[in-house]
Amino acid sequence: MRGSSHLAIGLITGAGIAAVAPDLKLSLPGIALAGFSSLAPDLDHPGSRLSKRLGFAQNFVRWAFAGAGVLLAVFAHFNLAPGPNQRVAFTAALSMFLIGMAMQNQSARKLALLFTGVASVLAGLYWQFLWLSLLGAFVATAPFTSHRTWTHTIWAAALWTYIGYLANKDLGWHGVAAYAGGGYMSHLLADTLTKSGIRYVLPLSDKALKIPLISTGSASGNVLEVVICVGYGLVVALLLWQRFGPALLPG
């Protein structure tokens, strides 16, 4: 399923959670969190929307490697005496420069996500926010896995929900776990409607659960995705009206 459809379904799910959870109010940040979470499983895909957004520094990564190589070469030339140490430094500088120049977009994006994730892990350790460190670890490792493998399992959904639970404890924002977990699961359920399906319990079983209605990228698949989003939206709108609508009526 396309990223735009996943995002739409995630946002609708966020509104639906507010409609059916008696202890939650309708929350725009909560809906946004559900939408963000609905894109998280596809961090394992280099072309996903969230992967591109979080990998914004991919060009910086390439030039950082090349620039570091140049700086190391300059340092070695002016500060190291001719000999083995200088030759090792020049070799390392040349290697870093060539790695930076040879990096393709996918490699750079993976490294950018790795650096983003590691930075979040370190920030979480510094501020003693376990949820931030776990989130960083997820962002750092997901791009290095095959598409629709471990990020598309119930274990990953449980981890994401637990991250939301911990964030709720630290930030005092009630409902984080529900919005995060609901948005994440909406992605898995939506992908279950595609021909590839989802292997929910990897590595316990390699069998995919699927209801092969949608051929992603095809004209018919795109139309069906829109129909599903509209239909789902109408159902959630009805639930929202049943809960909040009567309070808006006069008298």
Side-chain angles (χ1 to χ4, degrees):
M1 186 171 283
R2 294 174 299 170
S4 57
S5 297
H6 278 304
L7 178 59
I9 290 173
L11 293 172
I12 295 169
T13 297
I17 289 171
V20 300
D23 58 337
L24 291 182
K25 297 180 180 180
L26 187 61
S27 165
L28 290 181
I31 294 173
L33 174 59
F36 172 81
S37 299
S38 71
L39 300 178
D42 273 350
L43 277 174
D44 62 3
H45 193 293
S48 71
R49 284 173 174 261
L50 189 56
S51 180
K52 289 178 179 178
R53 297 299 182 271
L54 292 181
F56 65 93
Q58 56 182 308
N59 288 328
F60 169 78
V61 171
R62 297 181 67 188
W63 289 108
F65 266 83
V70 172
L71 291 176
L72 180 57
V74 172
F75 174 84
H77 176 75
F78 288 105
N79 293 278
L80 297 180
N85 290 339
Q86 189 184 61
R87 289 195 293 272
V88 169
F90 279 140
T91 302
L94 179 61
S95 298
M96 294 178 68
F97 180 82
L98 292 178
I99 288 173
M101 291 296 94
M103 251 181 222
Q104 299 300 315
N105 287 339
Q106 184 173 343
S107 299
R109 183 179 293 114
K110 285 182 177 180
L111 281 177
L113 288 168
L114 175 62
F115 293 159
T116 301
V118 169
S120 298
V121 170
L122 296 176
L125 293 174
Y126 179 78
W127 284 307
Q128 296 185 336
F129 286 163
L130 178 58
W131 65 270
L132 185 56
S133 292
L134 290 176
L135 178 62
F138 185 100
V139 171
T141 57
F144 295 90
T145 63
S146 300
H147 185 45
R148 288 199 184 184
T149 53
W150 82 270
T151 64
H152 288 66
T153 64
I154 57 172
W155 324 118
L159 172 61
W160 194 265
T161 305
Y162 181 62
I163 291 172
Y165 167 76
L166 293 177
N168 177 58
K169 291 179 62 177
D170 286 336
L171 304 178
W173 177 17
H174 182 57
V176 173
Y179 285 118
Y184 200 103
M185 279 303 302
S186 75
H187 183 111
L188 303 189
L189 293 173
D191 274 350
T192 303
L193 302 179
T194 64
K195 292 185 176 181
S196 298
I198 293 294
R199 293 173 289 176
Y200 279 92
V201 293
L202 279 176
L204 299 181
S205 173
D206 197 48
K207 186 176 182 179
L209 177 63
K210 54 186 174 181
I211 304 174
L213 299 177
I214 300 172
S215 179
T216 304
S218 67
S220 60
N222 293 343
V223 171
L224 188 53
E225 288 180 19
V226 172
V227 171
I228 290 172
C229 291
V230 171
Y232 184 32
L234 290 175
V235 171
V236 169
L238 178 60
L239 292 173
L240 287 171
W241 175 256
Q242 288 178 340
R243 179 175 180 186
F244 299 106
L248 301 177
L249 296 175

